[in-house]
Amino acid sequence: MFNKEIIHKFNSTPTPFYYYDLEVLKQTLQLVKTESEKYNFIVHYALKANANNEILNVIKSFHIGADCVSGNEVKKAVECKFDSKDIVFAGVGKSDQEINYALDHSIFCFNCESLQEMEVINQLAFAKNKTANIALRINPNVNANTHKYITTGLEENKFGINVWELDAVAEALKTLPNLKLIGLHFHIGSQITDLSAFKSLCLKVNEIQHWFSSHHINIENINVGGGLGVDYHEPDTHRFADFKTYFQLFNDFLEILPGQKVHFELGRALVAQCGTLISRVLYVKKGMNTNFAILDAGMTELLRPALYQAYHKIENLSRLEIPNIKLHMQKYDVVGPICESADCFGKAVSLPETSRGDIIALRTAGAYGEVMSSAYNLRDKVKAIYSGD
Ligand SMILES: *Cc1c(COP(=O)(O)O)cnc(C)c1O
């Protein structure tokens, strides 16, 4: 991923910054297209994983739709010229203003997360003399076996409508003439590496579909959400998620009714591996047990380790280049400059002997990296550079 030339370029660029390899992104998207088209599956990209314009333009060029979770994401998708009919809008707390914006742009579908939200969308659509397409986001009560902060499909989570509410929802729909039910939506969580969770989802979706068939409610679209995980430990050996097995699994286990379309909303699996956070070592400091490598990037640039105890592979790019020299490995706690003890990228990380000025790469940072960056401690907004720049 990093040749001499690129490392040389990193050396002459002020740190920290995100580096995006657009070739890796394109290869990932090509693979997703190839594997999903085998079954006529429709793929949307979850903008919240990375809403960088350059990234969005590449994704859009592969004719992938947009999955948004805020009004501003819908706006971004519209501005980046995603077709309105390819935009879906989910989220437990859509404001009136956000709903109105989406109605004005006649997006493909609102993924509704509660009865009250349906009533509000109906009212706002009525005021505009419009009909809003909706899908019911149903909580399938499937355990995604992932970090508790990124599990979304359990009854205890705030997301979606629970199965025991379906009778009430079906009744309510009869009294909401400005809504058109066009689908069912599910999303069980993120960074799911145990694919059996998706099989459980399929079986649950089949059950829920039976409920709708038995109530003579026709469902045109099934949206199974996203959540496919990536390999944070071995980004070079597993550069692409196993899209083949993933899509095949849905084809094998989902009972797709005649004429029904199946939609996916992938975020992380499309963009994680194309991004790297590049930083410099500011100081190396002796600690009690290990030394500290203090970087000029911290939780303000990449929050995932502090927020979810997430792992990112850490590499010292300045020490990769020396041929035939045996590297002297040492353990470092790799930390950022922010005044929080959670501002730590890894404890006792084994790195070649590291010095002030070395270039450090935090791998697999293309998803939920730059988008979550903040100005805490009045930090500068993190920059981005792209392969080929
Ligand atoms: C976050 C999210 C996604 C994408 O999740 P990934 O794990 O990044 O694939 C898809 N759908 C909804 C509704 C989401 O909130």
Side-chain angles (χ1 to χ4, degrees), residues 169-180:
V169 166
E171 273 314 300
L173 269 173
K174 294 177 189 159
T175 67
L176 302 170
N178 294 73
L179 299 186
K180 181 174 183 232

Side-chain angles (χ1 to χ4, degrees), residues 1-296:
M1 184 122 162
F2 306 112
N3 55 30
K4 250 194 162 126
E5 205 180 313
I6 289 171
I7 294 171
H8 183 72
K9 184 182 169 148
F10 291 170
N11 262 317
S12 58
T13 308
T15 47
F17 58 87
Y18 275 90
Y19 168 72
Y20 295 108
D21 188 326
L22 299 181
E23 261 329 293
V24 171
L25 176 61
K26 287 174 191 165
Q27 287 166 10
T28 311
L29 295 167
Q30 191 50 59
L31 194 58
V32 167
K33 281 308 253 190
T34 307
E35 295 303 329
S36 60
E37 280 172 359
K38 284 183 185 168
Y39 315 105
N40 293 319
F41 290 161
I42 300 167
V43 178
H44 303 258
Y45 167 61
L47 262 76
K48 76 173 191 280
N50 188 321
N52 198 302
N53 284 339
E54 266 75 8
I55 303 273
L56 290 179
N57 284 334
V58 174
I59 292 174
K60 196 199 59 194
S61 74
F62 279 77
H63 305 288
I64 286 174
D67 164 44
C68 304
V69 291
S70 75
N72 283 343
E73 284 190 2
V74 175
K75 193 158 176 237
K76 183 80 168 192
V78 169
E79 283 167 2
C80 285
K81 306 259 186 318
F82 281 86
D83 201 327
S84 293
K85 71 171 192 333
D86 299 327
I87 299 178
V88 297
F89 182 16
V92 283
K94 301 178 187 77
S95 72
D96 294 22
Q97 196 192 345
E98 291 176 310
I99 293 167
N100 276 325
Y101 182 85
L103 285 170
D104 288 341
H105 288 271
S106 306
I107 61 163
F108 172 60
C109 191
F110 290 86
N111 293 336
C112 289
E113 309 223 9
S114 69
L115 194 51
Q116 194 167 35
E117 181 192 329
M118 288 162 55
E119 289 162 1
V120 170
I121 296 177
N122 181 68
Q123 202 179 8
L124 295 172
F126 174 77
K128 289 180 184 293
N129 197 17
K130 287 198 162 197
T131 305
N133 283 344
I134 66 157
L136 302 173
R137 175 166 181 178
I138 297 176
N139 186 334
N141 200 24
V142 166
N143 193 345
N145 296 319
T146 184
H147 190 276
K148 63 177 188 297
Y149 285 2
I150 49 177
T151 286
T152 56
L154 288 175
E155 277 178 2
E156 69 204 52
N157 298 131
K158 67 179 176 181
F159 299 98
I161 295 166
N162 289 313
V163 172
W164 41 265
E165 297 173 284
L166 286 182
D167 279 307
V169 166
E171 273 314 300
L173 269 173
K174 294 177 189 159
T175 67
L176 302 170
N178 294 73
L179 299 186
K180 181 174 183 232
L181 179 68
I182 63 155
L184 303 180
H185 174 232
F186 306 85
H187 175 66
I188 57 173
S190 199
Q191 185 49 20
I192 298 167
T193 48
D194 170 9
L195 293 187
S196 70
F198 292 115
K199 181 181 169 189
S200 307
L201 171 63
C202 290
L203 302 180
K204 228 22 190 286
V205 173
N206 296 343
E207 251 177 62
I208 293 167
Q209 287 238 66
H210 292 156
W211 187 93
F212 281 90
S213 316
S214 69
H215 287 73
H216 310 289
I217 302 173
N218 179 38
I219 301 292
E220 290 166 59
N221 298 280
I222 297 291
N223 181 336
V224 292
L228 179 60
V230 299
D231 193 339
Y232 282 92
H233 289 266
E234 298 293 344
D236 293 312
T237 9
H238 299 131
R239 185 161 290 178
F240 310 109
D242 188 357
F243 296 110
K244 184 171 195 275
T245 309
Y246 173 72
F247 289 118
Q248 192 179 353
L249 184 145
F250 283 91
N251 186 61
D252 288 348
F253 294 103
L254 203 58
E255 288 170 17
I256 303 164
L257 303 177
Q260 225 169 29
K261 295 198 179 80
V262 182
H263 301 250
F264 292 79
E265 303 167 335
L266 292 169
R268 186 190 313 268
L270 304 193
V271 294
Q273 298 294 15
C274 77
T276 308
L277 177 61
I278 303 292
S279 69
R280 257 190 192 83
V281 178
L282 288 175
Y283 302 104
V284 177
K285 172 167 138 171
K286 281 227 169 306
M288 277 265 281
N289 304 312
T290 53
N291 294 328
F292 291 100
I294 302 169
L295 308 185
D296 63 5

